[in-house]
Amino acid sequence: MNRIATIISALFSPLFIPTYGVGLALLTTTLYYVAPSAKWHVLLTTLAITGVIPLIAIYVLTRIGKVKDAGLNERRERTIPYLISLACYLGCAGYLVTVHSPSWLTMFIVGGAAALTVATTVNFWWKISGHAAGMGGLVALMIHITARSLNVWDTQWIAMAAIVLAGAVCTSRLILRRHTIGQLAAGFTLGFLSVFIATDFNY
């Protein structure tokens, strides 16, 4: 069970959630009809900005001794990596604006940045689950796409799958003893509300 939980936690790390969200948007909405080369450019750039750069930063911080646990399970070691990730989220949102992405997609990243800002602040006193927050944001995005009829395919099953995956991710964090149920609930609620409100802001 620990091995399965570790794999699930790694696959659905908060570092990859923006890329998953953008990828789902490119596959399920009218963005599907954009040229494949443009879609790949947006997807890989999102991965580079919100995934690769923070990952490299965490590696460097680990090497120089600022962070002992690359998984950021220690609350006191999260501040610098979180601030770096926040800067990356804002940079990604700016990039999406420059490529004229739909406002709701840009606001998906902005919502993630808002959740990260709150999590970073609360982290001084209490640990909120970043994994749960990321999955909450992903669920909110799929609900937004479905509810606003932005989809070109039936996305109800994808939204339901995202909810099931969120449960699996949260369960994996419990199995690994990284968070309490309260920290997971707070994380999911934070991520969901931040993205739900942000993506709906342009209506």
Side-chain angles (χ1 to χ4, degrees):
M1 288 300 293
N2 279 4
R3 181 175 297 179
I4 294 174
T6 299
I7 292 172
I8 292 174
S9 290
L11 288 176
F12 294 96
S13 164
L15 297 178
F16 302 138
I17 298 302
T19 303
Y20 292 155
V22 170
L24 285 171
L26 293 172
L27 287 173
T28 63
T29 71
T30 52
L31 295 172
Y32 175 81
Y33 300 109
V34 173
S37 59
K39 288 191 290 187
W40 276 111
H41 186 276
V42 170
L43 188 66
L44 294 176
T45 301
T46 300
L47 176 61
I49 297 174
T50 62
V52 177
I53 293 176
L55 191 62
I56 292 174
I58 292 171
Y59 174 76
V60 172
L61 290 169
T62 303
R63 295 291 294 178
I64 64 177
K66 294 293 185 181
V67 171
K68 295 180 181 179
D69 181 8
L72 302 180
N73 293 309
E74 290 295 326
R75 178 175 57 83
R76 294 179 181 84
E77 296 181 352
R78 290 183 162 198
T79 303
I80 296 176
Y82 273 26
L83 290 175
I84 292 172
S85 293
L86 177 58
C88 290
Y89 270 62
L90 295 176
C92 183
Y95 161 73
L96 290 176
V97 170
T98 65
V99 296
H100 308 291
S101 75
S103 60
W104 56 264
L105 184 56
T106 301
M107 294 306 288
F108 163 62
I109 301 297
V110 172
L116 190 52
T117 300
V118 174
T120 302
T121 303
V122 174
N123 185 68
F124 286 106
W125 300 276
W126 192 57
K127 188 166 71 170
I128 289 180
S129 172
H131 279 77
M135 292 306 299
L138 194 62
V139 169
L141 174 66
M142 290 313 305
I143 289 177
H144 176 82
I145 288 173
T146 304
R148 290 296 182 180
S149 299
L150 301 173
N151 51 312
V152 292
W153 323 109
D154 182 8
T155 54
Q156 290 186 18
W157 67 272
I158 299 179
M160 289 187 289
I163 294 172
V164 172
L165 279 173
V169 171
C170 290
T171 301
S172 74
R173 303 306 286 170
L174 281 176
I175 291 173
L176 295 173
R177 298 181 181 178
R178 303 304 188 201
H179 291 286
T180 65
I181 293 178
Q183 291 167 346
L184 290 165
F188 185 88
T189 302
L190 173 62
F192 181 88
L193 290 178
S194 296
V195 171
F196 188 82
I197 294 171
T199 53
D200 216 46
F201 185 73
N202 57 318
Y203 284 95

